[in-house]
């Protein structure tokens, strides 16, 4: 079974600064997907960024980028130029694409507060 | 299409009562998932459907829980004889899974928050 660990329950950052959220995972699979989801107070889980394990290049989406270290089983999220709207819970998630159900395994989350 | 819709948004019930939640997925999505999220935690998988067939259930899904997806459209999650430990947010998500094995990403609903008093 896969496990996902987020070691930072809460973080804060000043508006316009950069913050990095940590995530580690454990799996015996070689091919898998990793995700970062954002859950604002509105509660809807929104996909921030996705990384395929067989791709060495780190994924980027505008102000969001990841540092994917496959050997270390680490998948951190960097948010550049933080905005007030980035305030939310952030969840790291794992998915094995060869499993029948493609279920997501989530970490416990990091609450990010962006301060003006 | 307005995305994944869940109703009700909030539900407060007395211990021992039965409750039912509804999820309307994106119409062309053939897979539908239920997750449970307790306060301050990440979502945990409960069950999923491929069209109308319920293909997997987590051990978290006790005998008091039942889910259906008639005709492969909307889904309902019923909890019988609710307990205080059932208090959580219940999230629904849908996705399109093709025969080749590729799929679209998950789209989540806003969840139903259940409080058992």
């Amino acid at each position: 079974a896969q496990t996902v660990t987020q070691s930072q329950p809460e973080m804060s950052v000043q508006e316009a600064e950069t913050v990095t959220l940590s995530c580690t995972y454990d799996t015996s699979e070689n091919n898998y997907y990793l995700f970062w989801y954002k859950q604002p107070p509105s509660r809807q889980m929104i996909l921030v960024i996705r990384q395929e394990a067989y791709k060495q290049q780190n994924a980027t989406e505008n102000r969001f980028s990841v540092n994917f270290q496959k050997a270390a089983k680490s998948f951190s999220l960097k948010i550049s130029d933080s905005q007030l709207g980035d305030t939310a819970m952030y969840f790291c998630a794992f998915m094995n694409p060869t499993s029948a159900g493609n279920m997501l395994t989530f970490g416990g989350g990091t609450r990010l507060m962006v301060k003006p | 299409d307005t995305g994944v819709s869940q109703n009700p948004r909030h539900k407060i019930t007395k211990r021992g009562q039965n409750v039912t939640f509804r999820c309307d997925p994106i119409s062309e999505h053939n897979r539908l998932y239920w997750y449970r999220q307790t306060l301050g935690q990440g979502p945990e998988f409960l069950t999923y459907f491929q069209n109308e067939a319920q293909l997997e259930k987590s051990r978290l899904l006790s005998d008091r829980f039942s889910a259906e997806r008639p005709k492969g459209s909307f889904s309902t999650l019923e909890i019988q004889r609710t307990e205080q430990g059932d208090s959580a947010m219940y999230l629904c998500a849908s996705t399109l899974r093709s025969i080749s094995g590729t799929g679209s990403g998950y789209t989540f609903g806003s969840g139903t928050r259940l409080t058992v008093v």
Side-chain angles (χ1 to χ4, degrees):
Chain A
Q2 292 80 24
T3 59
V4 179
T5 302
Q6 293 178 248
S7 58
Q8 305 152 314
E10 292 186 3
M11 293 194 71
S12 64
V13 63
Q14 291 296 130
E15 195 176 6
E17 293 188 348
T18 296
V19 64
T20 298
L21 309 184
S22 301
C23 172
T24 57
Y25 59 94
D26 189 23
T27 184
S28 58
E29 301 292 333
N30 190 48
N31 186 30
Y32 46 87
Y33 294 137
L34 294 165
F35 306 86
W36 278 98
Y37 280 90
K38 170 185 178 181
Q39 189 178 40
S42 66
R43 305 182 334 198
Q44 186 173 17
M45 201 77 74
I46 301 165
L47 178 66
V48 174
I49 200 165
R50 153 182 162 152
Q51 175 81 41
E52 295 161 30
Y54 64 86
K55 290 186 177 179
Q56 293 186 335
Q57 187 172 6
N58 289 323
T60 63
E61 287 287 342
N62 301 315
R63 299 183 295 108
F64 299 88
S65 61
V66 298
N67 183 3
F68 173 49
Q69 301 290 325
K70 190 172 184 180
K73 296 181 181 175
S74 170
F75 183 62
S76 61
L77 174 70
K78 186 171 82 171
I79 306 174
S80 304
D81 186 25
S82 298
Q83 301 176 359
L84 296 178
D86 294 334
T87 292
M89 284 290 292
Y90 286 81
F91 292 97
C92 179
F94 174 102
M95 192 257 276
N96 176 1
T98 61
S99 67
N102 298 154
M103 289 77 79
L104 293 170
T105 300
F106 288 88
T110 296
R111 183 178 303 279
L112 177 66
M113 173 76 72
V114 180
K115 298 179 179 178
Chain B
D1 199 338
T2 57
V4 177
S5 176
Q6 290 189 247
N7 289 288
R9 194 163 169 82
H10 303 274
K11 178 71 176 178
I12 300 175
T13 190
K14 292 184 178 179
R15 188 177 51 181
Q17 297 293 305
N18 299 345
V19 294
T20 301
F21 312 139
R22 176 176 170 129
C23 171
D24 288 272
I26 292 176
S27 56
E28 61 266 27
H29 283 183
N30 54 6
R31 281 200 173 176
L32 186 149
Y33 299 80
W34 285 99
Y35 285 80
R36 183 173 73 183
Q37 185 179 18
T38 53
L39 198 62
Q41 301 298 317
E44 295 174 290
F45 168 75
L46 290 179
T47 188
Y48 88 96
F49 293 84
Q50 172 96 8
N51 299 311
E52 68 275 9
Q54 187 175 16
L55 297 184
E56 188 162 341
K57 293 190 285 187
S58 159
R59 64 180 183 278
L60 294 175
L61 214 65
S62 76
D63 291 344
R64 297 184 296 105
F65 288 69
S66 62
E68 294 182 343
R69 192 183 182 197
K71 302 179 182 178
S73 56
F74 70 92
S75 176
T76 58
L77 177 67
E78 181 184 16
I79 309 175
Q80 296 182 327
R81 306 181 302 281
T82 53
E83 301 173 355
Q84 286 188 322
D86 297 331
S87 294
M89 186 150 73
Y90 291 84
L91 292 171
C92 177
S94 69
T95 186
L96 177 64
R97 178 77 171 179
S98 69
I99 294 173
S100 67
T102 59
S104 67
Y106 275 58
T107 301
F108 281 87
S110 295
T112 294
R113 187 178 300 282
L114 173 67
T115 302
V116 182
V117 297

